[in-house]
């Protein structure tokens, strides 16, 4: 495909060829640990009866501390024993292919830095709280852990074929902003939601956004927004179903998608399994 210029990104100074850096744990300040602690307590209170059982099981298994940013080497001892995954520190966003390669080899890239106390709710790049508190508990679940590996492999295959935007939507609407059915009702598993106080409430309880059943092709045709709460959330029946649905070769799917237009973000389709027909009553986040 011609058109989009592929920037030849190189790792920043001090990072390894695979973009990883040392966590330099001793360099975190007391103020930085305090930010972790504040966010941790706030989210734990928020997530009761909202996050899925697998998330809580992961949190318990990792024995994440409330009072300090986790040390990756210690975290990895528990995580590796559970699912073979490891957390590696990176300076910030890394190129897609680098990210996919790590995923395909069971390494999750986590930001080393933590947001400032003045900006507890605003993030330009994923920080250690979003990445570790949000993502790593789910990586303790064997089914989800496998899904993430397959996603990484799929990303490597899709690279260079102009398909990454479609695949990124799958990541966005599952790994970051996914909801799942449970025996207790609809619950959160997406890291972008579990690490956000406001969205953990909004995603489940606001009448504004659509909540519809997950359908792979439909998800890949739906754009997303990065600057505000989502206007649509997709609900999977279970993690096992998500893995089953995505464990197919995507070639046929990509061929079909090439013939299809995007679906406007706020539009419901006739075939949608509707959990909530959004009323769009929510305006937008107040500008910072
Ligand atoms: N880099 N550090 C970091 N974290 C991400 O979540 C991330 C990334 N680079 C690319 C990327 N995500 C995308 O490929 C996915 O959102 C699909
Ligand atoms: Fe994330």
């Amino acid at each position: 495909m011609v058109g989009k210029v592929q920037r030849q990104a190189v790792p920043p100074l001090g990072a390894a060829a695979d973009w990883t850096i040392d966590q330099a744990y001793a360099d975190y300040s007391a103020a930085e640990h305090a930010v972790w602690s504040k966010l941790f307590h706030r989210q734990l209170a928020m997530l009761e009866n909202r996050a899925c059982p697998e998330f809580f099981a992961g949190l318990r298994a990792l024995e994440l501390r409330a009072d300090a940013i986790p040390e990756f080497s210690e975290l990895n001892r528990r995580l590796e024993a559970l699912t073979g995954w490891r957390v590696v520190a990176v300076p910030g966003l890394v190129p897609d292919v680098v990210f996919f390669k790590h995923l395909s080899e069971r390494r999750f890239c986590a930001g080393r830095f933590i947001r400032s106390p003045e900006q507890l709710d605003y993030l330009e790049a994923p920080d250690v709280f979003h990445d570790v508190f949000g993502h790593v508990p789910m990586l303790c679940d064997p089914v989800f852990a496998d899904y993430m590996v397959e996603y990484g492999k799929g990303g490597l295959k899709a690279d260079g074929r102009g398909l990454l935007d479609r695949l990124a939507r799958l990541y966005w609407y599952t790994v970051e902003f996914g909801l799942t059915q449970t025996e207790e009702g609809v619950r959160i598993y997406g890291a972008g939601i579990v690490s956000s106080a406001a969205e953990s409430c909004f995603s489940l309880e606001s009448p504004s956004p659509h909540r519809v059943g997950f359908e792979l092709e439909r998800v890949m045709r739906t754009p997303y927004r990065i600057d505000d709460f989502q206007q649509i959330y997709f609900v999977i029946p279970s993690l096992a179903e998500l893995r089953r649905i995505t464990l197919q070769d995507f070639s046929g799917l990509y061929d079909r998608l090439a013939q299809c237009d995007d679906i406007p973000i706020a539009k419901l389709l006739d075939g949608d399994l509707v959990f909530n027909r959004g009323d769009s009553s929510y305006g937008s986040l107040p500008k910072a």
Side-chain angles (χ1 to χ4, degrees):
M1 215 194 62
V2 198
K4 202 162 130 190
V5 181
Q6 279 285 328
R7 264 182 305 131
Q8 191 54 57
V10 291
L13 220 61
D18 67 358
W19 286 69
T20 59
I21 57 172
D22 183 27
Q23 191 190 8
Y25 189 77
D27 293 350
Y28 286 119
S29 68
E32 287 176 315
H33 287 301
V35 169
W36 171 276
S37 185
K38 189 161 184 178
L39 290 166
F40 190 95
H41 286 295
R42 188 175 75 169
Q43 279 318 102
L44 218 53
M46 206 63 207
L47 291 176
E48 199 185 334
N49 294 319
R50 291 197 174 98
C52 68
E54 292 87 353
F55 176 82
F56 289 116
L59 211 55
R60 275 193 305 274
L62 292 169
E63 298 176 46
L64 282 189
R65 283 168 58 183
D67 60 332
I69 295 168
E71 187 161 5
F72 294 172
S73 56
E74 193 190 325
L75 184 69
N76 284 339
R77 274 200 292 279
R78 301 203 177 91
L79 181 58
E80 259 192 297
L82 290 165
T83 56
W85 274 80
R86 289 194 314 123
V87 173
V88 292
V90 291
L93 281 176
V94 304
D96 290 332
V97 176
V98 175
F99 187 70
F100 296 148
K101 179 99 163 58
H102 281 298
L103 292 183
S104 72
E105 294 170 1
R106 290 187 187 256
R107 286 184 302 271
F108 191 76
C109 294
R112 182 207 168 272
F113 77 100
I114 192 152
R115 68 199 76 181
S116 74
E118 292 78 34
Q119 299 206 308
L120 282 191
D121 299 301
Y122 180 74
L123 267 192
E124 268 178 77
D127 73 345
V128 65
F129 185 76
H130 166 81
D131 281 332
V132 172
F133 182 91
H135 285 282
V136 182
M138 291 304 294
L139 291 172
C140 296
D141 181 84
V143 174
F144 192 81
D146 285 353
Y147 169 68
M148 289 285 273
V149 174
E150 290 309 315
Y151 184 88
K153 289 181 185 166
L156 290 175
K157 269 198 236 167
D159 177 53
R161 294 212 269 149
L163 301 163
L164 284 193
D165 53 340
R166 303 289 168 86
L167 208 57
R169 290 169 178 173
L170 173 62
Y171 191 88
W172 191 263
Y173 283 121
T174 59
V175 179
E176 295 291 355
F177 292 94
L179 301 178
T180 180
Q181 285 182 272
T182 73
E183 278 167 24
E184 277 74 48
V186 176
R187 292 289 184 272
I188 304 161
Y189 71 94
I193 311 179
V194 294
S195 60
S196 157
E199 197 152 0
S200 19
C201 190
F202 179 87
S203 64
L204 288 178
E205 284 134 64
S206 170
S208 187
H210 299 310
R211 284 180 275 273
V212 303
F214 178 89
E215 208 272 302
L216 183 58
E217 203 167 310
R218 199 246 193 260
V219 167
M220 290 201 179
R221 289 176 59 199
T222 311
Y224 56 83
R225 52 190 309 170
I226 59 168
D227 59 335
D228 207 333
F229 298 143
Q230 302 305 303
Q231 283 169 273
I232 185 165
Y233 297 91
F234 292 96
V235 185
I236 56 169
S238 66
L239 295 173
E241 263 306 280
L242 174 66
R243 182 179 60 170
R244 191 190 63 76
I245 294 166
T246 50
L247 261 181
Q248 51 165 302
D249 184 70
F250 282 6
S251 306
L253 177 63
Y254 289 145
D255 290 343
R256 282 199 303 283
L257 283 168
Q259 318 295 320
C260 294
D261 289 331
D262 283 353
I263 300 164
I265 194 164
K267 185 175 172 180
L268 284 182
L269 302 184
D270 285 342
D272 284 336
L273 171 64
V274 179
F275 289 75
N276 180 63
R277 178 178 293 271
D279 66 8
S280 299
S281 52
Y282 166 79
S284 62
L285 282 178
K287 291 283 164 273

